[in-house]
Amino acid sequence: MSADIDAVAGQFVDYYYRSFDADRNSLAALYRDSSMLTFEGAQVLGTAAIVEKLVSLPFQKVQHKVTTKDAQPSSPSVASLLVSVTGLLVVDDSPNPLQFSQTFHLIPDGGSYYVFNDIFRLNYA
Amino acid sequence: MSADIDAVAGQFVDYYYRSFDADRNSLAALYRDSSMLTFEGAQVLGTAAIVEKLVSLPFQKVQHKVTTKDAQPSSPSVASLLVSVTGLLVVDDSPNPLQFSQTFHLIPDGGSYYVFNDIFRLNYA
């Protein structure tokens, strides 16, 4: 709930979606073998499987537009943080963007952070 | 990513929204003085302030309808878990439900769990 937390979360969110939209393979650097992704209910474990899942998503071109991002420290003892994002997903230049929500749990690791938890959902009206 | 995690998350989510919709004051039992709530961007710390915030929300009657719930263990060492929910909020019998997304971080505590992190957002199209 500090400016630091918000700054870290903001930098992460910007970097994550810029990387996602430019080259999903580059997201490998943000995960570890213990990382978990739940994507539309499908559970995937570990960097290789997570990147394979993200790369296999059936669109050629994608753009995330972040509407809200909220961050909180997730532990009283470690500098880990929880980041919750809502936004719009523009897929293959569709005129009808999809609403999404995504939660990341970031763990500090050698001056940077990796994604331990990642939960993604499209929100249908 | 186990049946246990899903069962705990399911029970928590059912209990939380049933309590919210019946009597918001009863949610006090689920928070601690270290708990954080970010509600539509407003940050609140501790049980008393969180319950005051929830009770003061300007509606008389509310019903949460859960669309999706996803859970993951949030730590390799502690039985804490992350629960992400999307759903619809029916306020004062409005015919136009609001979409919401909410993330809870649950920490084990004497055979039960409390909410350490709580992030709530309405999702506008």
Side-chain angles (χ1 to χ4, degrees):
Chain A
M1 302 179 80
S2 71
D4 275 2
I5 289 269
D6 287 344
V8 170
Q11 284 167 19
F12 169 79
V13 167
D14 291 348
Y15 182 80
Y16 185 90
Y17 293 118
R18 201 166 55 231
S19 301
F20 193 113
D21 297 351
D23 175 11
R24 281 169 262 169
N25 283 294
S26 70
L27 296 170
L30 298 176
Y31 296 94
R32 297 288 180 276
D33 287 346
S34 58
S35 300
M36 287 163 272
L37 166 66
T38 304
F39 188 93
E40 288 285 275
Q43 299 180 332
V44 186
L45 176 68
T47 308
I50 289 171
V51 172
E52 189 184 338
K53 174 73 183 174
L54 297 177
V55 169
S56 73
L57 295 174
F59 40 71
Q60 297 301 312
K61 191 176 163 186
V62 63
Q63 189 188 2
H64 291 78
K65 296 183 177 180
V66 171
T67 307
T68 67
K69 51 193 167 192
D70 296 301
Q72 293 179 354
S74 67
S75 159
S77 54
V78 184
S80 53
L81 65 156
L82 209 59
V83 185
S84 196
V85 180
T86 68
L88 298 170
L89 202 62
V90 181
V91 172
D92 292 330
D93 295 321
S94 163
N96 301 310
L98 306 166
Q99 277 195 291
F100 75 92
S101 57
Q102 188 161 16
T103 299
F104 300 99
H105 188 201
L106 305 182
I107 309 288
D109 183 31
S112 186
Y113 292 84
Y114 71 93
V115 179
F116 186 66
N117 301 98
D118 181 351
I119 300 176
F120 177 93
R121 278 283 179 184
L122 292 172
N123 308 137
Y124 297 103
Chain B
M1 303 179 78
S2 72
D4 275 2
I5 290 267
D6 287 343
V8 170
Q11 283 167 20
F12 170 80
V13 167
D14 291 348
Y15 182 80
Y16 184 91
Y17 293 119
R18 199 165 56 231
S19 301
F20 193 112
D21 297 351
D23 175 12
R24 280 168 263 169
N25 283 294
S26 69
L27 296 171
L30 297 176
Y31 294 94
R32 296 289 180 275
D33 286 345
S34 58
S35 300
M36 286 162 273
L37 166 66
T38 304
F39 188 92
E40 288 286 274
Q43 299 179 333
V44 186
L45 176 67
T47 307
I50 289 172
V51 172
E52 189 185 338
K53 174 73 183 172
L54 297 178
V55 169
S56 73
L57 295 174
F59 40 70
Q60 298 301 311
K61 191 175 164 187
V62 62
Q63 189 188 0
H64 291 78
K65 297 184 177 179
V66 171
T67 307
T68 66
K69 51 194 167 191
D70 297 302
Q72 293 179 355
S74 67
S75 159
S77 54
V78 184
S80 54
L81 64 156
L82 208 60
V83 184
S84 196
V85 180
T86 68
L88 297 171
L89 202 63
V90 181
V91 171
D92 292 329
D93 296 321
S94 164
N96 301 311
L98 306 167
Q99 278 195 291
F100 75 91
S101 56
Q102 189 160 16
T103 299
F104 300 99
H105 187 201
L106 306 182
I107 309 287
D109 182 31
S112 185
Y113 292 84
Y114 71 94
V115 179
F116 185 67
N117 301 98
D118 181 352
I119 300 176
F120 177 93
R121 278 283 179 184
L122 292 172
N123 308 138
Y124 297 102

